[in-house]
Amino acid sequence: MNRSYEELRTACLSCQNCPLAATRHHVVFGVGNPQADVMFIGEGPGENEDLQGEPFVGRGGQLLDRFLAAVDLDRSRNIYIGNMVKCRPPKNRDPEPAEVEQCIGYLQEQIRLIQPKIIVCLGRIAACYMLDKNFKVTKQHGQWIQKDGIWMMGTFHPAALLRNPNNKPLAFEDMLGLRNKILEVCPDTYAGIELLGLPQMP
Ligand code: URA
């Protein structure tokens, strides 16, 4: 299908393809610059995201925004953030395989339209789908591989960092690796932004 980004978004916002439609408050389509070269992919909306219609807006999202800001990335400017599943599974249970199957086409179409040069998977579920079905975050975080011409990396999910703050320095190393990859592959991401020295962990 050759839909525009806006056509895809409109279709997704009224989606009734799976039972999650009945319990959602909002479809959480994605946020950011659809022209960005850098895309982040999470698992699916939680309670706050469902209520606000935007990915990563709870405490985990605030932590993510601080990590992003430390490497001069901003969801309203030079990145795009999406999820594998667009509607919140009740009580934050994992999405059923059938729900993922019904929904994943939206993400695939987002990727085709946005054409990112870099994809960062936030957490195991997204990394298992995008990178390697046996992905182990603790072992493989921060490792870059090129797939279908896109540089991809998996890192810790922000909610996992809230549960285990000891991993924050490792996650921050991954963000520094991301910054280097951006400077190598798509430096225009930082166009108009003055990069000041070595970033500090927030
Ligand atoms: N966790 C996710 O994976 N995505 C969100 O949007 C929020 C929490």
Side-chain angles (χ1 to χ4, degrees), residues 90-149:
K91 298 190 181 141
N92 291 354
R93 66 160 170 75
D94 286 345
E96 304 282 349
E99 293 160 354
V100 176
E101 200 180 309
Q102 287 297 325
C103 203
I104 205 70
Y106 291 118
L107 178 66
Q108 288 164 346
E109 218 171 317
Q110 280 170 305
I111 294 172
R112 272 202 300 279
L113 287 163
I114 294 168
Q115 295 188 289
K117 296 199 167 65
I118 292 176
I119 289 179
V120 177
C121 298
L122 296 168
R124 188 182 65 82
I125 304 287
C128 284
Y129 177 74
M130 297 296 299
L131 288 164
D132 163 2
K133 66 179 176 16
N134 297 313
F135 193 90
K136 298 273 178 300
V137 177
T138 44
K139 279 202 185 128
Q140 290 166 269
H141 71 92
Q143 294 177 9
W144 289 95
I145 63 160
Q146 214 178 7
K147 251 184 135 176
D148 304 325

Short mmCIF file of all heavy atoms in Angstrom, two decimals, residues 90-149:
data_model
loop_
_atom_site.label_atom_id
_atom_site.label_comp_id
_atom_site.label_asym_id
_atom_site.label_seq_id
_atom_site.Cartn_x
_atom_site.Cartn_y
_atom_site.Cartn_z
N PRO A 90 -4.70 -4.40 28.36
CA PRO A 90 -5.24 -4.14 29.70
C PRO A 90 -4.27 -4.59 30.79
O PRO A 90 -3.60 -5.61 30.65
CB PRO A 90 -6.51 -4.99 29.74
CG PRO A 90 -6.87 -5.23 28.31
CD PRO A 90 -5.60 -5.18 27.52
N LYS A 91 -4.19 -3.80 31.85
CA LYS A 91 -3.32 -4.07 33.01
C LYS A 91 -1.86 -4.28 32.61
O LYS A 91 -1.12 -5.01 33.29
CB LYS A 91 -3.84 -5.27 33.79
CG LYS A 91 -5.24 -5.03 34.36
CD LYS A 91 -5.64 -6.12 35.31
CE LYS A 91 -7.04 -5.86 35.82
NZ LYS A 91 -7.85 -7.06 35.96
N ASN A 92 -1.47 -3.70 31.49
CA ASN A 92 -0.08 -3.79 31.02
C ASN A 92 0.40 -5.21 30.78
O ASN A 92 1.61 -5.48 30.85
CB ASN A 92 0.88 -3.08 31.99
CG ASN A 92 0.69 -1.59 31.96
OD1 ASN A 92 -0.07 -1.07 31.16
ND2 ASN A 92 1.38 -0.91 32.85
N ARG A 93 -0.53 -6.14 30.52
CA ARG A 93 -0.06 -7.48 30.16
C ARG A 93 0.70 -7.40 28.83
O ARG A 93 0.58 -6.41 28.10
CB ARG A 93 -1.24 -8.44 30.07
CG ARG A 93 -2.22 -8.13 28.95
CD ARG A 93 -3.06 -9.36 28.60
NE ARG A 93 -4.17 -9.08 27.70
CZ ARG A 93 -4.05 -8.85 26.40
NH1 ARG A 93 -2.86 -8.81 25.82
NH2 ARG A 93 -5.13 -8.61 25.66
N ASP A 94 1.48 -8.47 28.54
CA ASP A 94 2.15 -8.51 27.24
C ASP A 94 1.09 -8.62 26.15
O ASP A 94 0.08 -9.30 26.33
CB ASP A 94 3.07 -9.74 27.14
CG ASP A 94 4.33 -9.56 27.99
OD1 ASP A 94 4.60 -8.40 28.38
OD2 ASP A 94 5.01 -10.56 28.24
N PRO A 95 1.35 -7.98 24.99
CA PRO A 95 0.40 -8.18 23.89
C PRO A 95 0.41 -9.64 23.44
O PRO A 95 1.46 -10.28 23.43
CB PRO A 95 0.92 -7.25 22.79
CG PRO A 95 2.26 -6.78 23.20
CD PRO A 95 2.44 -7.05 24.65
N GLU A 96 -0.78 -10.16 23.08
CA GLU A 96 -0.88 -11.52 22.55
C GLU A 96 -0.23 -11.55 21.16
O GLU A 96 -0.29 -10.55 20.43
CB GLU A 96 -2.36 -11.91 22.37
CG GLU A 96 -3.22 -11.82 23.60
CD GLU A 96 -2.99 -13.00 24.52
OE1 GLU A 96 -2.33 -13.96 24.09
OE2 GLU A 96 -3.46 -12.95 25.67
N PRO A 97 0.34 -12.71 20.78
CA PRO A 97 0.93 -12.81 19.43
C PRO A 97 -0.06 -12.38 18.34
O PRO A 97 0.34 -11.71 17.38
CB PRO A 97 1.28 -14.30 19.31
CG PRO A 97 1.46 -14.76 20.72
CD PRO A 97 0.54 -13.94 21.57
N ALA A 98 -1.34 -12.72 18.51
CA ALA A 98 -2.33 -12.34 17.47
C ALA A 98 -2.49 -10.82 17.41
O ALA A 98 -2.72 -10.26 16.34
CB ALA A 98 -3.66 -13.01 17.76
N GLU A 99 -2.38 -10.15 18.57
CA GLU A 99 -2.50 -8.69 18.59
C GLU A 99 -1.29 -8.06 17.90
O GLU A 99 -1.43 -7.10 17.12
CB GLU A 99 -2.63 -8.20 20.04
CG GLU A 99 -3.95 -8.63 20.69
CD GLU A 99 -3.93 -8.60 22.20
OE1 GLU A 99 -2.87 -8.37 22.83
OE2 GLU A 99 -5.00 -8.85 22.80
N VAL A 100 -0.11 -8.61 18.17
CA VAL A 100 1.11 -8.10 17.52
C VAL A 100 0.97 -8.29 16.00
O VAL A 100 1.24 -7.38 15.22
CB VAL A 100 2.38 -8.82 18.05
CG1 VAL A 100 3.61 -8.34 17.29
CG2 VAL A 100 2.54 -8.59 19.54
N GLU A 101 0.51 -9.45 15.63
CA GLU A 101 0.38 -9.77 14.20
C GLU A 101 -0.56 -8.78 13.49
O GLU A 101 -0.29 -8.34 12.38
CB GLU A 101 -0.16 -11.19 14.06
CG GLU A 101 0.09 -11.82 12.70
CD GLU A 101 -0.48 -13.22 12.66
OE1 GLU A 101 -0.19 -14.01 13.58
OE2 GLU A 101 -1.25 -13.50 11.74
N GLN A 102 -1.67 -8.42 14.17
CA GLN A 102 -2.63 -7.48 13.58
C GLN A 102 -2.06 -6.07 13.48
O GLN A 102 -2.47 -5.29 12.65
CB GLN A 102 -3.91 -7.42 14.42
CG GLN A 102 -4.78 -8.64 14.31
CD GLN A 102 -5.32 -8.84 12.90
OE1 GLN A 102 -5.61 -7.89 12.17
NE2 GLN A 102 -5.42 -10.09 12.49
N CYS A 103 -1.12 -5.75 14.37
CA CYS A 103 -0.68 -4.35 14.53
C CYS A 103 0.65 -4.06 13.82
O CYS A 103 0.89 -2.92 13.44
CB CYS A 103 -0.53 -4.06 16.02
SG CYS A 103 -0.65 -2.32 16.42
N ILE A 104 1.49 -5.06 13.67
CA ILE A 104 2.88 -4.81 13.29
C ILE A 104 3.00 -4.18 11.89
O ILE A 104 3.97 -3.49 11.59
CB ILE A 104 3.71 -6.12 13.41
CG1 ILE A 104 5.19 -5.80 13.63
CG2 ILE A 104 3.49 -7.06 12.24
CD1 ILE A 104 5.50 -5.24 14.96
N GLY A 105 1.95 -4.39 11.07
CA GLY A 105 1.97 -3.79 9.73
C GLY A 105 2.05 -2.27 9.79
O GLY A 105 2.66 -1.63 8.93
N TYR A 106 1.45 -1.67 10.83
CA TYR A 106 1.53 -0.20 10.97
C TYR A 106 2.98 0.23 11.19
O TYR A 106 3.45 1.20 10.59
CB TYR A 106 0.66 0.29 12.13
CG TYR A 106 -0.83 0.15 11.89
CD1 TYR A 106 -1.61 -0.66 12.70
CD2 TYR A 106 -1.44 0.83 10.85
CE1 TYR A 106 -2.98 -0.79 12.49
CE2 TYR A 106 -2.80 0.72 10.62
CZ TYR A 106 -3.57 -0.10 11.44
OH TYR A 106 -4.92 -0.23 11.22
N LEU A 107 3.69 -0.50 12.05
CA LEU A 107 5.09 -0.16 12.30
C LEU A 107 5.91 -0.35 11.02
O LEU A 107 6.75 0.50 10.68
CB LEU A 107 5.66 -1.01 13.44
CG LEU A 107 7.14 -0.75 13.74
CD1 LEU A 107 7.35 0.66 14.29
CD2 LEU A 107 7.70 -1.79 14.72
N GLN A 108 5.65 -1.46 10.33
CA GLN A 108 6.42 -1.71 9.09
C GLN A 108 6.18 -0.60 8.09
O GLN A 108 7.11 -0.14 7.42
CB GLN A 108 6.02 -3.07 8.51
CG GLN A 108 6.55 -4.23 9.33
CD GLN A 108 5.86 -5.56 9.01
OE1 GLN A 108 4.82 -5.61 8.36
NE2 GLN A 108 6.44 -6.64 9.49
N GLU A 109 4.95 -0.12 8.02
CA GLU A 109 4.64 0.97 7.08
C GLU A 109 5.27 2.28 7.55
O GLU A 109 5.76 3.08 6.74
CB GLU A 109 3.13 1.11 6.92
CG GLU A 109 2.72 1.43 5.49
CD GLU A 109 1.21 1.37 5.28
OE1 GLU A 109 0.57 0.43 5.79
OE2 GLU A 109 0.67 2.28 4.62
N GLN A 110 5.27 2.50 8.87
CA GLN A 110 5.96 3.70 9.39
C GLN A 110 7.43 3.68 8.99
O GLN A 110 7.99 4.69 8.56
CB GLN A 110 5.85 3.76 10.92
CG GLN A 110 4.52 4.28 11.43
CD GLN A 110 4.37 4.10 12.94
OE1 GLN A 110 4.50 2.99 13.46
NE2 GLN A 110 4.10 5.18 13.64
N ILE A 111 8.06 2.51 9.13
CA ILE A 111 9.49 2.42 8.81
C ILE A 111 9.70 2.68 7.31
O ILE A 111 10.62 3.41 6.92
CB ILE A 111 10.06 1.05 9.23
CG1 ILE A 111 10.02 0.91 10.76
CG2 ILE A 111 11.49 0.86 8.72
CD1 ILE A 111 10.38 -0.48 11.29
N ARG A 112 8.82 2.11 6.47
CA ARG A 112 8.95 2.33 5.02
C ARG A 112 8.81 3.81 4.67
O ARG A 112 9.51 4.33 3.80
CB ARG A 112 7.89 1.53 4.26
CG ARG A 112 8.33 0.12 3.91
CD ARG A 112 7.52 -0.44 2.74
NE ARG A 112 6.09 -0.49 3.00
CZ ARG A 112 5.50 -1.46 3.70
NH1 ARG A 112 6.21 -2.44 4.22
NH2 ARG A 112 4.19 -1.45 3.89
N LEU A 113 7.89 4.51 5.35
CA LEU A 113 7.65 5.92 5.03
C LEU A 113 8.73 6.83 5.60
O LEU A 113 9.16 7.78 4.96
CB LEU A 113 6.28 6.35 5.57
CG LEU A 113 5.08 5.79 4.80
CD1 LEU A 113 3.82 5.92 5.64
CD2 LEU A 113 4.93 6.53 3.48
N ILE A 114 9.16 6.55 6.81
CA ILE A 114 10.14 7.42 7.48
C ILE A 114 11.54 7.16 6.93
O ILE A 114 12.36 8.07 6.85
CB ILE A 114 10.06 7.20 9.01
CG1 ILE A 114 8.70 7.70 9.52
CG2 ILE A 114 11.20 7.89 9.75
CD1 ILE A 114 8.36 7.30 10.95
N GLN A 115 11.80 5.94 6.49
CA GLN A 115 13.11 5.55 5.96
C GLN A 115 14.26 5.96 6.88
O GLN A 115 15.16 6.70 6.47
CB GLN A 115 13.33 6.17 4.57
CG GLN A 115 12.36 5.62 3.54
CD GLN A 115 12.72 6.08 2.14
OE1 GLN A 115 12.56 7.27 1.81
NE2 GLN A 115 13.22 5.20 1.34
N PRO A 116 14.23 5.51 8.13
CA PRO A 116 15.31 5.89 9.04
C PRO A 116 16.64 5.26 8.61
O PRO A 116 16.64 4.20 7.99
CB PRO A 116 14.84 5.29 10.38
CG PRO A 116 13.99 4.12 10.00
CD PRO A 116 13.29 4.54 8.73
N LYS A 117 17.71 5.93 8.95
CA LYS A 117 19.05 5.35 8.72
C LYS A 117 19.50 4.57 9.95
O LYS A 117 20.38 3.72 9.88
CB LYS A 117 20.04 6.46 8.38
CG LYS A 117 19.71 7.18 7.08
CD LYS A 117 20.92 7.93 6.54
CE LYS A 117 20.71 8.39 5.12
NZ LYS A 117 19.63 9.39 4.98
N ILE A 118 18.89 4.92 11.09
CA ILE A 118 19.25 4.28 12.36
C ILE A 118 17.97 3.93 13.11
O ILE A 118 17.05 4.76 13.19
CB ILE A 118 20.12 5.23 13.22
CG1 ILE A 118 21.49 5.46 12.57
CG2 ILE A 118 20.26 4.70 14.65
CD1 ILE A 118 22.37 6.46 13.31
N ILE A 119 17.92 2.71 13.66
CA ILE A 119 16.80 2.32 14.53
C ILE A 119 17.37 1.87 15.87
O ILE A 119 18.28 1.03 15.91
CB ILE A 119 15.96 1.19 13.91
CG1 ILE A 119 15.16 1.72 12.70
CG2 ILE A 119 15.01 0.58 14.93
CD1 ILE A 119 14.30 0.67 12.00
N VAL A 120 16.84 2.42 16.95
CA VAL A 120 17.21 1.98 18.30
C VAL A 120 16.00 1.27 18.91
O VAL A 120 14.91 1.85 18.99
CB VAL A 120 17.62 3.18 19.19
CG1 VAL A 120 17.93 2.70 20.61
CG2 VAL A 120 18.82 3.90 18.59
N CYS A 121 16.20 0.02 19.31
CA CYS A 121 15.13 -0.76 19.95
C CYS A 121 15.22 -0.57 21.45
O CYS A 121 16.27 -0.80 22.05
CB CYS A 121 15.30 -2.24 19.61
SG CYS A 121 15.16 -2.56 17.86
N LEU A 122 14.10 -0.14 22.04
CA LEU A 122 14.07 0.10 23.48
C LEU A 122 13.51 -1.16 24.16
O LEU A 122 12.30 -1.41 24.13
CB LEU A 122 13.20 1.32 23.79
CG LEU A 122 13.75 2.64 23.23
CD1 LEU A 122 12.70 3.74 23.32
CD2 LEU A 122 15.02 3.05 23.97
N GLY A 123 14.41 -1.96 24.69
CA GLY A 123 14.00 -3.16 25.42
C GLY A 123 14.01 -4.42 24.59
O GLY A 123 14.12 -4.40 23.37
N ARG A 124 13.86 -5.53 25.32
CA ARG A 124 14.02 -6.86 24.73
C ARG A 124 12.97 -7.18 23.66
O ARG A 124 13.28 -7.73 22.62
CB ARG A 124 13.95 -7.91 25.86
CG ARG A 124 14.28 -9.32 25.44
CD ARG A 124 14.13 -10.27 26.61
NE ARG A 124 12.74 -10.37 27.05
CZ ARG A 124 11.82 -11.14 26.48
NH1 ARG A 124 12.14 -11.90 25.47
NH2 ARG A 124 10.59 -11.16 26.94
N ILE A 125 11.72 -6.80 23.93
CA ILE A 125 10.65 -7.21 23.03
C ILE A 125 10.86 -6.61 21.63
O ILE A 125 10.80 -7.32 20.62
CB ILE A 125 9.26 -6.78 23.59
CG1 ILE A 125 9.05 -7.34 25.00
CG2 ILE A 125 8.14 -7.19 22.66
CD1 ILE A 125 8.80 -8.82 25.08
N ALA A 126 11.16 -5.32 21.59
CA ALA A 126 11.39 -4.67 20.29
C ALA A 126 12.66 -5.23 19.64
O ALA A 126 12.70 -5.48 18.43
CB ALA A 126 11.48 -3.16 20.45
N ALA A 127 13.70 -5.45 20.46
CA ALA A 127 14.97 -5.95 19.91
C ALA A 127 14.80 -7.38 19.38
O ALA A 127 15.38 -7.74 18.35
CB ALA A 127 16.07 -5.89 20.96
N CYS A 128 13.99 -8.18 20.06
CA CYS A 128 13.76 -9.56 19.59
C CYS A 128 13.05 -9.53 18.24
O CYS A 128 13.34 -10.33 17.36
CB CYS A 128 12.93 -10.37 20.59
SG CYS A 128 13.87 -10.90 22.01
N TYR A 129 12.13 -8.61 18.08
CA TYR A 129 11.40 -8.55 16.81
C TYR A 129 12.29 -7.98 15.70
O TYR A 129 12.32 -8.51 14.58
CB TYR A 129 10.12 -7.71 16.96
CG TYR A 129 9.40 -7.58 15.65
CD1 TYR A 129 8.70 -8.66 15.13
CD2 TYR A 129 9.46 -6.40 14.91
CE1 TYR A 129 8.07 -8.57 13.89
CE2 TYR A 129 8.84 -6.31 13.68
CZ TYR A 129 8.14 -7.39 13.18
OH TYR A 129 7.54 -7.29 11.94
N MET A 130 13.01 -6.91 15.99
CA MET A 130 13.73 -6.20 14.94
C MET A 130 15.12 -6.78 14.66
O MET A 130 15.62 -6.70 13.53
CB MET A 130 13.92 -4.72 15.32
CG MET A 130 12.67 -3.90 15.50
SD MET A 130 11.71 -3.73 13.99
CE MET A 130 12.85 -2.87 12.92
N LEU A 131 15.78 -7.32 15.70
CA LEU A 131 17.21 -7.64 15.57
C LEU A 131 17.51 -9.13 15.57
O LEU A 131 18.24 -9.63 14.72
CB LEU A 131 17.98 -7.00 16.73
CG LEU A 131 18.14 -5.49 16.69
CD1 LEU A 131 18.57 -4.98 18.05
CD2 LEU A 131 19.19 -5.12 15.66
N ASP A 132 16.99 -9.83 16.57
CA ASP A 132 17.42 -11.21 16.78
C ASP A 132 16.42 -11.82 17.78
O ASP A 132 16.24 -11.27 18.87
CB ASP A 132 18.85 -11.15 17.37
CG ASP A 132 19.31 -12.44 18.01
OD1 ASP A 132 18.56 -13.43 18.00
OD2 ASP A 132 20.44 -12.45 18.55
N LYS A 133 15.76 -12.90 17.38
CA LYS A 133 14.66 -13.40 18.22
C LYS A 133 15.15 -13.87 19.59
O LYS A 133 14.35 -14.01 20.51
CB LYS A 133 13.86 -14.48 17.50
CG LYS A 133 14.57 -15.77 17.18
CD LYS A 133 13.57 -16.69 16.49
CE LYS A 133 14.09 -18.01 16.01
NZ LYS A 133 15.35 -18.55 16.47
N ASN A 134 16.47 -14.07 19.72
CA ASN A 134 17.00 -14.47 21.04
C ASN A 134 17.76 -13.32 21.70
O ASN A 134 18.64 -13.57 22.55
CB ASN A 134 17.93 -15.68 20.87
CG ASN A 134 17.17 -16.87 20.34
OD1 ASN A 134 16.10 -17.19 20.83
ND2 ASN A 134 17.71 -17.51 19.30
N PHE A 135 17.47 -12.09 21.33
CA PHE A 135 18.23 -10.94 21.84
C PHE A 135 18.24 -10.90 23.36
O PHE A 135 17.21 -11.01 24.01
CB PHE A 135 17.62 -9.64 21.30
CG PHE A 135 18.49 -8.43 21.51
CD1 PHE A 135 19.42 -8.07 20.55
CD2 PHE A 135 18.38 -7.67 22.66
CE1 PHE A 135 20.22 -6.94 20.74
CE2 PHE A 135 19.18 -6.55 22.85
CZ PHE A 135 20.10 -6.19 21.89
N LYS A 136 19.46 -10.75 23.93
CA LYS A 136 19.62 -10.62 25.39
C LYS A 136 20.15 -9.21 25.66
O LYS A 136 21.29 -8.90 25.30
CB LYS A 136 20.64 -11.63 25.92
CG LYS A 136 20.24 -13.09 25.72
CD LYS A 136 19.39 -13.59 26.88
CE LYS A 136 18.93 -15.03 26.70
NZ LYS A 136 18.11 -15.29 25.52
N VAL A 137 19.33 -8.38 26.28
CA VAL A 137 19.70 -6.97 26.45
C VAL A 137 21.01 -6.85 27.23
O VAL A 137 21.90 -6.09 26.85
CB VAL A 137 18.58 -6.18 27.16
CG1 VAL A 137 19.00 -4.73 27.40
CG2 VAL A 137 17.31 -6.19 26.34
N THR A 138 21.14 -7.63 28.30
CA THR A 138 22.34 -7.47 29.14
C THR A 138 23.62 -7.83 28.38
O THR A 138 24.67 -7.27 28.65
CB THR A 138 22.24 -8.34 30.41
OG1 THR A 138 21.76 -9.62 30.05
CG2 THR A 138 21.33 -7.71 31.45
N LYS A 139 23.51 -8.75 27.42
CA LYS A 139 24.70 -9.16 26.66
C LYS A 139 24.91 -8.36 25.39
O LYS A 139 26.04 -8.08 25.01
CB LYS A 139 24.55 -10.63 26.24
CG LYS A 139 24.90 -11.63 27.31
CD LYS A 139 25.26 -12.97 26.66
CE LYS A 139 25.49 -14.00 27.75
NZ LYS A 139 24.70 -15.21 27.54
N GLN A 140 23.80 -7.99 24.71
CA GLN A 140 23.94 -7.47 23.34
C GLN A 140 23.63 -5.98 23.21
O GLN A 140 23.72 -5.43 22.11
CB GLN A 140 23.03 -8.26 22.39
CG GLN A 140 23.49 -9.69 22.16
CD GLN A 140 22.41 -10.54 21.50
OE1 GLN A 140 21.62 -11.17 22.17
NE2 GLN A 140 22.35 -10.53 20.18
N HIS A 141 23.30 -5.33 24.35
CA HIS A 141 22.95 -3.90 24.25
C HIS A 141 24.14 -3.12 23.67
O HIS A 141 25.29 -3.45 23.92
CB HIS A 141 22.58 -3.35 25.64
CG HIS A 141 23.76 -3.23 26.55
ND1 HIS A 141 24.51 -2.08 26.66
CD2 HIS A 141 24.34 -4.14 27.37
CE1 HIS A 141 25.49 -2.28 27.52
NE2 HIS A 141 25.42 -3.51 27.97
N GLY A 142 23.80 -2.14 22.86
CA GLY A 142 24.84 -1.26 22.32
C GLY A 142 25.58 -1.81 21.11
O GLY A 142 26.39 -1.10 20.51
N GLN A 143 25.29 -3.08 20.74
CA GLN A 143 25.98 -3.65 19.57
C GLN A 143 25.24 -3.26 18.29
O GLN A 143 24.03 -3.43 18.20
CB GLN A 143 26.04 -5.18 19.67
CG GLN A 143 26.88 -5.67 20.82
CD GLN A 143 26.87 -7.20 20.94
OE1 GLN A 143 26.37 -7.90 20.07
NE2 GLN A 143 27.42 -7.69 22.03
N TRP A 144 25.98 -2.78 17.33
CA TRP A 144 25.37 -2.31 16.07
C TRP A 144 25.39 -3.40 15.02
O TRP A 144 26.41 -4.08 14.85
CB TRP A 144 26.12 -1.09 15.54
CG TRP A 144 25.88 0.12 16.39
CD1 TRP A 144 26.65 0.57 17.41
CD2 TRP A 144 24.75 1.00 16.30
NE1 TRP A 144 26.07 1.69 17.97
CE2 TRP A 144 24.92 1.97 17.31
CE3 TRP A 144 23.63 1.07 15.49
CZ2 TRP A 144 23.99 2.99 17.52
CZ3 TRP A 144 22.71 2.09 15.70
CH2 TRP A 144 22.90 3.03 16.70
N ILE A 145 24.26 -3.57 14.34
CA ILE A 145 24.27 -4.41 13.14
C ILE A 145 23.51 -3.67 12.05
O ILE A 145 22.64 -2.84 12.33
CB ILE A 145 23.64 -5.81 13.37
CG1 ILE A 145 22.15 -5.70 13.72
CG2 ILE A 145 24.36 -6.62 14.43
CD1 ILE A 145 21.44 -7.01 13.47
N GLN A 146 23.88 -3.98 10.81
CA GLN A 146 23.17 -3.36 9.68
C GLN A 146 22.22 -4.38 9.08
O GLN A 146 22.63 -5.50 8.79
CB GLN A 146 24.18 -2.90 8.62
CG GLN A 146 23.74 -1.64 7.93
CD GLN A 146 24.74 -1.16 6.91
OE1 GLN A 146 25.73 -1.83 6.62
NE2 GLN A 146 24.49 0.01 6.36
N LYS A 147 20.95 -3.99 8.97
CA LYS A 147 19.92 -4.89 8.43
C LYS A 147 19.11 -4.10 7.42
O LYS A 147 18.64 -3.00 7.73
CB LYS A 147 18.99 -5.32 9.57
CG LYS A 147 19.15 -6.76 9.99
CD LYS A 147 18.13 -7.13 11.04
CE LYS A 147 17.49 -8.44 10.73
NZ LYS A 147 16.58 -8.89 11.76
N ASP A 148 18.95 -4.66 6.23
CA ASP A 148 18.21 -3.98 5.16
C ASP A 148 18.68 -2.53 4.99
O ASP A 148 17.87 -1.61 4.81
CB ASP A 148 16.70 -3.99 5.44
CG ASP A 148 16.16 -5.40 5.65
OD1 ASP A 148 16.66 -6.33 4.98
OD2 ASP A 148 15.26 -5.58 6.49
N GLY A 149 19.99 -2.31 5.12
CA GLY A 149 20.54 -0.97 4.92
C GLY A 149 20.32 -0.01 6.08
O GLY A 149 20.65 1.17 5.98
#
